[in-house]
Amino acid sequence: AMTDKKEFGYVVLALGGTWITNTILSIQVSKARKEYGVEYPNLYADDRHGPVRDSFNQVQRGHQNFLETWGPLSVLMVVNGLKFPKTSAICGALIAFGRIVYGVGYAMYGPRGRMPGALIAHLGDIPLMFLTFYTGYKIIKQ
């Protein structure tokens, strides 16, 4: 059998957590745009923005780093959640929380500030990636 519908609710909650992560990081970028004067359509600050360039770009990169993996990791959460809902949900929660810590740390402390959040997020995303192969194997063998 795939999964108990009730247990799959944990996966749905973890996915919801990733939306909270995106919202927090988006708000952080919006505030930084106002603070550093980086207007749309500029995705990043450049030399025109002078000494605030790196400060804004660190905030923006924290959000972009999340967005670059959000879609694929959401798919992996759902697929793995069909067979291992609690494990998938725990991985998803680690990713969501870790990416908030990552984005806030990057914004406040620069590149070194990313490390605690990266560690937390990787405790979720790396096992989730490996679990995908085990999930596939288990589905084939059932």
Side-chain angles (χ1 to χ4, degrees):
M2 286 307 233
T3 191
D4 176 296
K5 288 179 184 173
K6 194 172 191 175
E7 285 188 348
F8 194 75
Y10 296 119
V11 177
V12 175
L13 291 173
L15 282 168
T18 66
W19 280 95
I20 292 169
T21 299
N22 184 56
T23 301
I24 289 168
L25 297 176
S26 293
I27 290 168
Q28 188 171 269
V29 171
S30 293
K31 288 179 177 179
R33 280 191 178 283
K34 290 177 186 163
E35 181 179 348
Y36 300 121
V38 180
E39 297 179 9
Y40 288 107
N42 297 305
L43 187 58
Y44 292 102
D46 57 28
D47 290 337
R48 293 174 295 168
H49 298 95
V52 301
R53 182 190 71 192
D54 288 348
S55 296
F56 175 78
N57 288 345
Q58 288 165 185
V59 175
Q60 180 69 308
R61 280 305 306 153
H63 186 221
Q64 290 296 313
N65 287 150
F66 169 70
L67 292 175
E68 289 162 5
T69 60
W70 187 19
L73 289 172
S74 293
V75 171
L76 293 184
M77 267 190 274
V78 171
V79 169
N80 288 311
L82 294 172
K83 202 73 173 148
F84 305 102
K86 289 181 182 176
T87 302
S88 182
I90 290 167
C91 288
L94 286 166
I95 292 164
F97 177 70
R99 284 302 178 161
I100 292 169
V101 174
Y102 180 100
V104 171
Y106 202 173
M108 292 177 68
Y109 305 109
R112 285 192 323 261
R114 301 175 298 170
M115 296 310 141
L119 177 63
I120 295 166
H122 290 326
L123 288 173
D125 62 21
I126 292 170
L128 195 61
M129 286 184 259
F130 283 109
L131 184 61
T132 303
F133 295 98
Y134 186 65
T135 298
Y137 171 79
K138 293 296 278 185
I139 292 170
I140 290 168
K141 289 296 185 181
Q142 70 182 10

